Structure formats: C-alpha cells, structure tokens
Amino acid sequence: MANTMKTSLFSFKVGMVCLLLSAYGCSGDLFGSLRFTRKALFGFSRVAPNPETELPVPVFSLVRSLESDSPTKRPQQRTIYTPSNKFLEVISEIQKAVANAGAMGSQLQYSNLTLAKLSQLLEDAVKSKSFDYGREVLGRILYLLSKSSKRKKRSLENEGNLFLRRLRQGLGNETFDSFMAVEGNVSLVFVIDDTGSMGDTIEAVKKIATAVINYPREVPVDYILSPFNDPMSDAGEVVYKESNQSLEFVDAINALTAHRGGDCAEYTLAGIVNAFGQDPLFGSPMYVFTDAGPKDATEEKIEEVKILAEMDDVTIHFLTTGACGGKLHPAFRELAEFTSGQVVLLKSAEELEKLANVIRGALEGTTIISFGSSVSGRKKRTFGGLRRYRFPVDDSIETVTISVKTNQPDTNGRDITLRNPSGAIITAQKVNLSQLCFYQIASPPKGYWTLEITTDTTGDHEFYVKSTSKTNINFKHYFMIPVGRRRRKSEVPFSNPIARKSNTMVLTLLAPNDKVDPASLRLQIVTASGSVVRNLNLSSNDNVHYEVSFTPPATAFKLKLLGVTQKGFAFERLSRRFIQPSNAFLRGRYASNDFTLPLNSLTIIQFEICNFGPSERFEVLVRKDWMNYVSQPSAGSQRPTLVGKGRCVALFLRARPTRVADVHKTNTVILIVKGQSSGIVLSRLMRLFVVNPKRS
C-alpha cells in the first residue's frame, strides 16, 4: 500500500507542475498560472471522504517518455487521499515566489545557462533540506520558463516534463515528498527558560513532550529546542532533531537543568530568534515557556521576531507561570497577536501539563474560525454582564478548539458556558485553569454554536475558535501594487496594503473543490475590535483564485471569508494575523550570483524602500545575518536615506562567506529600517544559499 501511495503521489505532483508550465505557455499571466496549478492539484489528488480507501481505478500516469504524444492510460491500484494542509500552503508559497520573480524585472532573464544554474541550485538546496529557499528557486525557474516567448506550447511542456523528471531522479522520492510537504510535515518548537526558578516548569514540559511524541500520528514531525537564560551564554544548547529522533528530543529536554538567572527579566526574544535559526517548517507552532518577562524586548528585536514569524507562517504562544511585577509583558501580547497565538498566565506547572492535548492538536494544522473579546463589536450585551458569541461549525471540521482567557485570576471556568447547535451545554470536554478555559471537541455537531461569558466573574476576556482537519477550508492572500517608472514599472507582491491607495489583493482559496459552494463566498474587513466595517467584492474566473481591489481602512484589520459548504453548512474563516496598512514597504529585490553566497566571493544584496507617504529619511536599525557574513559599516558612515513620495530607493549590503562548513546551508539576511518622521518600522529578510564555485 505504501509503495502504491507513493507512486500515485508522484504521478499527481508531476502532472501538477507540468500543467503549471503549460498554463504559463498559454496565458503568461499570474492568474492563469494559479488556475492551472489548482486544477492539476485536485485533478490528480482524487479527493474522497475516506482517504485510506484503495480502488482499482484507471488513472493517467504522467510519468512518461517525452516521445509519447499523450499520457498512457493503465489500470492500477490507486490510493484515494486528501492533500495535506501544508501541501496546499506550499503550492501557494511557490506561486507567490513566481510573482516575486516577475517583480525582479531585467535582473532575472531567461537563458539556458541561467536555467541550468538554478536547476542545480534547487537540487542542492532541497537535498540539504533548505526547503524555503528551494521553493523560492523553483518559483524563479517556473517564471523563467514562462517568459521563454520564442518557445511554443508543446516544447515548453516537454521541457517541463524533462525538468521534473531530472529533479525527481536527482532528489529521490522521499526527499521530493518532504520538499512538497505532501504528508503535512511540521515542526514542534519549544523555547524554554532554563533559569533557576524554572525547575517545576521544565519537568512539566518534559511530560508534555513525551505525551506529544507518544501520540500516534500520520504527520511527520521534527523537533526544535531553544533554551534561554540570563546571560545567554549560560543557556542550554539549541537542539534540532528529525522525526525519527523523537526520543533524542526528549533526552535533550531531560538534560535541561534550572540554573543561574537572578533578576526577573530574561533573554526571551533571543531564545525565539535562535529557534528560527534552526529553520522550522512552514506553518509550525512555537511554544515559549517562561516565568518572567523579556529583558531584550527592544523595538528592533520585536520587529526581527515578527518578520521571521511572518516568512515562516509560525504561530507563537507564550505559556507563562509567572510575570515580572505580576503583569504580562506587552511584547508577549504584541507577538502573540501578530501571529494569532495566545499569551496565557498559568498558576502552576500542574496547569501547564493540562495543555498537552492542545499542543498536540496544533501540529495537525489549524484555521481560525472566530475571535473576540469583552470589547468586541460583535458581542451581544444582555443582563448581568453576559456576553454571547455565535460561530458556525461546518462539515469540514474534524476537531474544534475553543479557548477563553480571562483577566480575573482564579476564574477556573466559572460562568463560561459553551452550547452546541441544539442548545446542550458542553461539560465533558471542558478543561478549567485559573485564567484559561478551553474545549477540544472531536467530530463536533454541525451548525451554530454559542459561547456565553459573564464578565462579572471573568473580568475582561478574549477567545479564539480554531479548527483542525486533514484538509481545512482556509485561504491565503497577498497584495500587489505597481512600482517603478515607465518601462521599469512592475507589479510587486507584499504583505501589507498601502494606506489611502487602491490595492489589488490576490486571494487563494485553500480547500478541496468539492467542499465549498463558490457562489456563496463573501469577504469582509474585520477590525481589531471585532466589528465588520466593509464588504469586499470578489472576482474570479475559476472560483479558487480571487482578485480584490480596495482602499484599506486606516487601522489594523483582519479578513473574514464567509460562505456555505457544498453540503449546505455555513462556514467562517479569518486571516491568521492582523493586516497593518502602511505608507511604505521594504522588499528584498535582488542578490548577485543568483541569490547565492559563493565561498570567498563578494555578493551584493539589494533591498528597496518604496515610499507612498510624504518624503522622509529612513535610518537602518538592523542589518544582520545568521552567519555573520554581512559587512557592517562604520558608525560615521551610516547616514539616513531620503526617499521621496512615490519613489523607491535601493539599499545595498555586502557579504563574503569564508567557512567551508557553511556550504549548502541557507543564510538569512535581515534588514530593519525606520522612518525618522513617521516612526514607521519596516523589515524584510532574504535567504541566500552558500555554494562552493570550485565544486567539480
């Protein structure tokens, strides 16, 4: 069965990319490529309710000789399965990489030599498990093939088949699977304070890790442990373990001992950054365990954590068993809100152990159904300070998790009530902690649920409703706006919209074709207070990839997608993080040597600030890289850069790698700038791959 499943997986993956290439040859536009990618994905995935069923069905195998005029039809035992959430997200990231390649303009041109270099670079990157970098390279390759205007459709398809065949043969089946996240590969990331007061908490984390590892799962999980202390030189070793080394991960936690420290605040954000240095897989959860606030919560460090979390789509949760001065640090709240995580103040390590099931469930991949708070515009006030919140549970949801955090201590779940669609009160799945109450319900009844919270008992509160399924209903988005002048103008993809300007947003629905009624879809702007301020018009030619044009509100907002499933049940989904309109953005435009760092050679790295607000000067706050190869200018030579209104100005960094041990590793370069007048902080990172040009 396993061999049959691998064969079927590779058949559909080859078909997916081949059809992507043919789409470029036909239309040459971004939305054309997105449509064909999606069509190929679900055409070959054979989505069915029971993914373990094997049926003797005739299938088309696209693993064929290039001389053949058409795929060969042959009967075979075919595993029916549903693509993983991570697989769909990876496809979305590759498509975004294509858009980024298109924005590079004349700095990325098609030639046989360039294509050969990028192909070898892709294979080297994937073999060394630099998956994020490899997906960016794959996006550039697909873009170059699409721009080969002199090639006809048929030759382009053949070239695509040949490219995919060579890539698969060079990587091997298992590595290719991991690269495409076919099985939903994910990282479990623990960032642990190991100062002297953390003894009981470390013991609780050991039990949680053991429970998570011992739980049978289909999704491959790798493990990252990043301790922090004060000073950081006293922290334990940062550890990365692969999915078959789970016991060694537990051993690494067992080896932690609570020591040193002294004053309350610790180097929490340094521990988080070190965890990102181990390259967690896309869309993974991160848990920070501490009993103190951060000593290093500077503006620059907070922004660094944000850009790292954004690029890897990591959700950060802070689980604290204490706080400096009795209050949680605002940096924890800021980072949790930015990544759709939560900050939870626990009364003891025993309460921490009760969260094992929540941590375990997050590894399957979650989507946000609803959120709100006691100041939410969506609340319904009734007598006695009672708040009622309604949210739909649709037929795609396998497990729903509702978490309520209260401001009042020792609430222990009192006056927090959850009712299913029939009105029955849920009690069996309720877990009560001092300032946290959560429910984790498998196979929940479909329909509208009601959460009731009495503020007279709980004080201020906030809640999240998240769902887990093998294939969730979800969406991804990014914005595009033209920058440059005359012939050099290009559409640039970026994360946040430009304030007071009409922005084009590309939204991709991540769901099997048979789950959603496309005619029912609606999109809304939701403010931080929870109120809906605007409905947006969706435009699509394939009911999957949507174009939306709008001028954003002045303050941070989320996007809410609403609709009805094919079986008639209402659903709601929210964007993972708040979207902050800005007058400017920073992008990583280009790096010489095809975004590589040749050993003992100079690479020029080009970032670009584009300003749509009043002219102002931007100063560099941070220029750094993991490997410390980026040269730092002297203090006297650093001058703020003036960027006029409607202009883009380049910033150049230089890097020269020297260590042979870093060959075939990814170096992450981070640049953070700040507007001197507006106070706006912009950040961007660029991934560069260290290579040895003398390799035979």
Side-chain angles (χ1 to χ4, degrees):
M1 176 177 174
N3 290 336
T4 302
M5 184 173 183
K6 285 186 178 291
T7 300
S8 64
L9 289 172
F10 277 104
S11 295
F12 109 76
K13 283 180 292 189
V14 171
M16 174 196 70
V17 184
C18 290
L19 284 181
L20 171 62
L21 295 174
S22 66
Y24 274 119
C26 294
S27 63
D29 68 288
L30 176 62
F31 281 91
S33 70
L34 298 179
R35 288 192 296 270
F36 274 82
T37 303
R38 181 74 171 207
K39 181 179 179 181
L41 171 63
F42 285 100
F44 284 86
S45 64
R46 309 284 183 180
V47 176
N50 182 5
E52 300 302 325
T53 303
E54 286 194 351
L55 299 174
V57 296
V59 297
F60 290 96
S61 174
L62 290 186
V63 185
R64 61 181 185 180
S65 67
L66 298 182
E67 291 77 16
S68 175
D69 290 331
S70 60
T72 302
K73 188 173 182 180
R74 55 187 176 87
Q76 65 181 33
Q77 196 79 358
R78 172 73 177 241
T79 299
I80 308 299
Y81 75 103
T82 302
S84 71
N85 298 307
K86 294 296 186 296
F87 182 34
L88 301 183
E89 291 171 355
V90 164
I91 298 301
S92 177
E93 287 302 300
I94 293 173
Q95 292 171 338
K96 188 176 179 180
V98 172
N100 275 310
M104 290 165 58
S106 61
Q107 291 171 311
L108 183 63
Q109 295 292 326
Y110 180 91
S111 73
N112 290 333
L113 179 60
T114 299
L115 191 61
K117 287 182 178 179
L118 290 179
S119 299
Q120 184 60 58
L121 184 59
L122 171 61
E123 186 172 326
D124 291 341
V126 175
K127 284 183 176 179
S128 65
K129 295 190 175 181
S130 294
F131 292 159
D132 290 332
Y133 179 82
R135 291 160 190 158
E136 293 173 359
V137 176
L138 180 56
R140 293 181 198 122
I141 291 173
L142 297 179
Y143 172 77
L144 286 177
L145 290 173
S146 74
K147 297 299 290 183
S148 180
S149 59
K150 293 183 179 181
R151 297 172 181 268
K152 296 183 179 180
K153 177 184 174 183
R154 173 56 184 266
S155 62
L156 179 59
E157 289 181 347
N158 288 344
E159 185 173 350
N161 284 330
L162 183 60
F163 167 73
L164 262 296
R165 174 179 294 180
R166 288 174 175 171
L167 178 62
R168 189 181 69 247
Q169 291 174 345
L171 296 178
N173 292 351
E174 185 175 347
T175 302
F176 192 83
D177 255 359
S178 297
F179 174 57
M180 298 300 294
V182 170
E183 298 177 83
N185 308 52
V186 68
S187 300
L188 176 62
V189 186
F190 282 175
V191 180
I192 303 179
D193 178 350
D194 65 356
T195 54
S197 58
M198 285 287 291
D200 291 342
T201 301
I202 291 175
E203 290 301 318
V205 173
K206 293 176 184 177
K207 295 178 182 178
I208 291 174
T210 302
V212 171
I213 289 169
N214 288 338
Y215 184 80
R217 68 176 67 254
E218 299 177 4
V219 178
V221 180
D222 61 19
Y223 307 92
I224 296 172
L225 172 65
S226 178
F228 61 94
N229 205 296
D230 181 14
M232 278 298 290
S233 57
D234 288 333
E237 183 181 359
V238 179
V239 174
Y240 167 81
K241 298 296 179 182
E242 297 184 353
S243 57
N244 61 352
Q245 297 175 307
S246 57
L247 296 181
E248 295 178 31
F249 177 68
V250 174
D251 290 341
I253 298 178
N254 286 332
L256 289 179
T257 57
H259 65 289
R260 298 297 295 268
D263 58 352
C264 186
E266 317 295 354
Y267 287 96
T268 314
L269 271 61
I272 294 173
V273 170
N274 287 345
F276 279 112
Q278 296 300 310
D279 199 17
L281 294 171
F282 190 85
S284 296
M286 177 184 292
Y287 295 92
V288 182
F289 303 93
T290 185
D291 63 355
K295 178 174 284 188
D296 52 351
T298 63
E299 183 179 48
E300 296 89 345
K301 206 69 173 181
I302 292 172
E303 189 65 26
E304 182 179 353
V305 171
K306 283 183 177 180
I307 187 60
L308 290 168
E310 178 185 334
M311 294 299 288
D312 287 331
D313 204 24
V314 168
T315 302
I316 305 177
H317 304 274
F318 294 88
L319 306 179
T320 70
T321 53
C324 299
K327 293 184 179 180
L328 291 168
H329 197 282
F332 289 174
R333 299 183 188 276
E334 182 177 351
L335 292 172
E337 286 181 0
F338 183 82
T339 63
S340 291
Q342 283 191 291
V343 184
V344 180
L345 180 59
L346 301 167
K347 192 172 184 178
S348 65
E350 287 75 16
E351 285 195 340
L352 179 60
E353 292 180 32
K354 295 181 180 180
L355 298 177
N357 285 341
V358 175
I359 294 174
R360 184 178 65 203
L363 294 175
E364 308 297 337
T366 61
T367 59
I368 303 174
I369 299 175
S370 183
F371 83 104
S373 71
S374 53
V375 296
S376 168
R378 300 188 306 109
K379 66 179 180 289
K380 180 179 180 181
R381 184 185 295 272
T382 59
F383 63 90
L386 179 65
R387 307 290 193 270
R388 286 195 177 97
Y389 307 90
R390 296 180 74 239
F391 58 89
V393 172
D394 59 84
D395 55 283
S396 73
I397 296 173
E398 297 173 6
T399 301
V400 64
T401 301
I402 302 98
S403 60
V404 182
K405 187 179 69 173
T406 66
N407 183 57
Q408 188 69 26
D410 299 318
T411 303
N412 296 309
R414 292 194 309 275
D415 291 329
I416 299 174
T417 303
L418 180 67
R419 298 180 184 272
N420 67 17
S422 65
I425 296 176
I426 305 300
T427 57
Q429 296 94 340
K430 184 178 183 180
V431 177
N432 299 317
L433 306 179
S434 175
Q435 291 181 255
L436 178 69
C437 169
F438 68 88
Y439 302 80
Q440 196 167 47
I441 304 167
S443 303
K446 305 166 190 64
Y448 276 91
W449 291 58
T450 303
L451 179 63
E452 301 174 348
I453 304 173
T454 303
T455 58
D456 293 346
T457 302
T458 64
D460 288 339
H461 61 265
E462 67 177 25
F463 72 91
Y464 268 96
V465 181
K466 299 185 178 183
S467 70
T468 302
S469 304
K470 288 185 178 179
T471 304
N472 296 315
I473 295 175
N474 204 357
F475 68 94
K476 289 285 186 180
H477 70 277
Y478 57 88
F479 298 90
M480 299 192 73
I481 196 167
V483 299
R485 292 178 177 270
R486 298 175 183 171
R487 294 183 180 180
R488 300 179 119 185
K489 182 171 289 189
S490 60
E491 294 278 344
V492 176
F494 52 98
S495 301
N496 292 314
I498 301 301
R500 297 182 294 277
K501 281 189 173 291
S502 179
N503 293 253
T504 297
M505 183 177 70
V506 178
L507 184 147
T508 302
L509 179 65
L510 303 181
N513 292 339
D514 62 349
K515 281 194 175 182
V516 174
D517 176 9
S520 69
L521 292 183
R522 294 177 292 138
L523 189 65
Q524 297 175 336
I525 292 178
V526 182
T527 67
S529 66
S531 59
V532 177
V533 297
R534 194 184 312 169
N535 292 303
L536 301 176
N537 294 321
L538 293 167
S539 174
S540 176
N541 290 325
D542 64 356
N543 297 323
V544 175
H545 306 99
Y546 295 85
E547 182 176 358
V548 186
S549 295
F550 67 98
T551 301
T555 57
F557 63 93
K558 283 196 174 192
L559 295 170
K560 179 193 285 188
L561 184 68
L562 308 91
V564 177
T565 67
Q566 291 285 5
K567 293 184 178 180
F569 295 98
F571 74 85
E572 295 179 6
R573 297 294 186 269
L574 287 163
S575 54
R576 289 181 58 85
R577 64 179 183 85
F578 282 104
I579 302 164
Q580 180 64 61
S582 173
N583 286 327
F585 68 85
L586 176 68
R587 66 165 175 148
R589 180 168 183 175
Y590 186 69
S592 61
N593 304 311
D594 297 318
F595 291 85
T596 67
L597 294 170
L599 201 62
N600 298 313
S601 298
L602 180 66
T603 293
I604 305 298
I605 307 162
Q606 181 184 0
F607 288 86
E608 188 174 58
I609 304 173
C610 293
N611 181 27
F612 296 88
S615 298
E616 71 171 313
R617 295 185 182 275
F618 288 82
E619 61 177 322
V620 175
L621 299 182
V622 175
R623 53 162 63 83
K624 63 178 291 187
D625 64 305
W626 294 128
M627 298 178 180
N628 295 317
Y629 287 142
V630 172
S631 59
Q632 300 294 332
S634 61
S637 65
Q638 298 188 62
R639 299 178 57 187
T641 301
L642 177 64
V643 185
K645 183 176 182 179
R647 298 298 301 271
C648 296
V649 175
L651 298 177
F652 295 96
L653 280 64
R654 292 166 173 80
R656 187 187 300 270
T658 57
R659 296 183 296 269
V660 176
D662 289 333
V663 170
H664 287 180
K665 294 181 181 178
T666 299
N667 189 20
T668 299
V669 180
I670 298 174
L671 184 68
I672 302 176
V673 302
K674 182 177 182 178
Q676 291 185 327
S677 302
S678 63
I680 182 175
V681 177
L682 307 172
S683 60
R684 192 52 43 194
L685 66 78
M686 187 185 297
R687 297 184 180 97
L688 304 174
F689 195 62
V690 182
V691 297
N692 188 349
K694 296 182 179 180
R695 186 185 64 177
S696 58

